[in-house]
């Protein structure tokens, strides 16, 4: 089937094109879209692109950082100001995928992908989207819960607050092939400290449910407490609560449930 490619100079026009045509798909880096097209996905009859430079802008100078949806992982790795996001960016694919794959595309990447999004979820990011209804900001958790319905909207950017210290943000991806490969599970934790106690704990998991989720029971086990062995154990025991992993070629649902607490304990204890 013939595929039409439409390129727009502004993000607004591109958003209009994808919101008015169910068979249109936005092309970010194309690492997943082009694979789908090459495999003969007939649900895509129009590919929409935008050359709008706002989509590739990085604002990393202040306490709140903004990444255009079209920013690639290779660019993030080249920004010293984004050092806290280097581990999640580095954990994605090989060099070719990091050169093409974008932050915006990662929000839509199905399991066993979406690793960068796990980090953004732990950082309580905000997603700026534009659709037929105009532009608006959505909390990333809400965005992910309604991801299927977001497919007619264009993601413009994501923003989040920079963690106060390197200790406050931790990330780990469990994969069978290192350093790349799909996720068996992916974990990220943001643990801001106020007055010596954790205030606003966020723990996010990938490959433990149809989309990335927060481990809210584990967060509650840490909230208002210190990061000592007893509290870490309580959080690790609670990590599996509310999860619904699937079986796939990388691991069974049973195995994922067995290991999620083990890896959360290691992440929180600072163990390799
Ligand atoms: C060999 C290989 C290895 C990979 N390894 C990993 C990995 O280790 N970890 C990982 O997380 N991912 C991995 N991926 C998946 C993928 O490369 C990344 O998730 C990447 O971030 C997707 O971004 P993209 O711009 O290429 O998406 P695209 O292929 O361009 O798009 C993917 C989906 O997102 C939509 N989309 C893209 N940008 C926007 C936007 N701005 N607004 C609205 N919708 C948008 C597209 O319409 C499409 O539905 C891998 C892929 C391949 C092929």
């Amino acid at each position: 089937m013939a595929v039409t490619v439409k390129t727009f100079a502004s993000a607004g026009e591109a958003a209009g094109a994808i919101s008015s045509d169910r068979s249109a798909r936005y092309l970010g880096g194309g690492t997943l879209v082009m694979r789908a097209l090459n495999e003969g996905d007939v649900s895509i009859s129009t590919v929409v692109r935008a050359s709008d430079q706002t989509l590739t802008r990085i604002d990393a100078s202040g306490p709140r950082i903004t990444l255009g949806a079209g920013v690639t992982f290779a660019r993030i790795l080249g920004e010293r100001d984004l050092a806290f996001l280097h581990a999640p960016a580095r954990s994605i694919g090989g060099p070719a995928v990091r050169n093409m794959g974008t932050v915006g595309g990662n929000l839509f990447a199905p399991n066993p992908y979406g690793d960068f999004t796990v980090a953004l979820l732990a950082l309580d990011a905000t997603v700026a989207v534009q659709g037929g209804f105009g532009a608006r900001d959505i909390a990333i958790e809400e965005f992910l819960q309604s991801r299927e319905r977001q497919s007619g909207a264009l993601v413009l950017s994501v923003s989040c607050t920079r963690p106060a210290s390197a200790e406050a943000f931790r990330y780990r991806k469990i994969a069978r092939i290192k350093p790349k490969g799909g996720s068996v599970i992916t974990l990220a934790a943001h643990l801001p400290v106020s007055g010596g106690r954790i205030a606003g704990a966020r723990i996010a998991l990938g490959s433990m449910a149809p989309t990335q989720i927060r481990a809210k029971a584990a967060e509650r086990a840490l909230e208002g407490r210190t990061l000592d062995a007893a509290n870490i154990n309580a959080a690790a025991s609670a990590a599996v609560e509310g999860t619904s992993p699937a079986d796939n070629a990388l691991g069974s649902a049973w195995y994922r449930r067995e290991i999620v607490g083990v890896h959360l304990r290691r992440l929180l204890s600072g163990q390799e």
Side-chain angles (χ1 to χ4, degrees), residues 34-86:
M34 288 312 298
R35 190 164 73 174
L37 283 170
N38 290 336
E39 285 171 354
D41 183 339
V42 290
S43 70
I44 311 173
S45 63
T46 307
V47 167
V48 173
R49 300 167 66 229
S51 53
D52 194 326
Q53 292 192 355
T54 58
L55 293 171
T56 52
R57 198 174 284 162
I58 295 178
D59 179 357
S61 51
R64 190 151 183 94
I65 64 128
T66 301
L67 304 174
V71 169
T72 64
F73 304 111
R75 274 194 64 208
I76 291 171
L77 287 167
E79 289 277 337
R80 206 186 297 178
D81 284 341
L82 293 175
F84 69 102
L85 291 172
H86 284 184

Side-chain angles (χ1 to χ4, degrees), residues 18 24-36 44 48 55 68-73 88-94 96-98 100-110 112-118 127-130 143 150-157 171 173 175 179-183 186 212:
I18 54 172
R25 194 73 61 85
Y26 185 75
L27 184 82
T31 55
L32 295 174
V33 172
M34 288 312 298
R35 190 164 73 174
I44 311 173
V48 173
L55 293 171
V71 169
T72 64
F73 304 111
R90 200 178 297 112
S91 78
I92 290 171
V97 170
R98 292 195 289 273
M100 298 297 292
T102 66
V103 170
N106 202 259
L107 290 168
F108 295 91
Y113 298 143
D115 297 316
F116 198 78
T117 303
V118 177
V127 183
V129 296
Q130 180 153 7
F143 177 92
Q150 306 292 346
S151 57
L154 180 69
V155 174
L156 302 174
S157 64
Y171 173 87
K173 173 174 169 179
K180 55 183 180 176
S183 146
T186 305
Q212 300 82 348

Side-chain angles (χ1 to χ4, degrees), residues 201-203 215-225 231 234-235 238 241:
R202 290 286 179 276
I203 297 172
K216 292 193 177 173
E219 291 174 357
R220 282 195 296 276
L222 295 176
E223 192 60 30
R225 300 193 165 89
N231 295 329
E241 242 179 77

Side-chain angles (χ1 to χ4, degrees), residues 1-18:
M1 196 172 80
V3 175
T4 308
V5 179
K6 294 183 178 171
T7 304
F8 297 95
S10 81
E13 289 170 295
I18 54 172

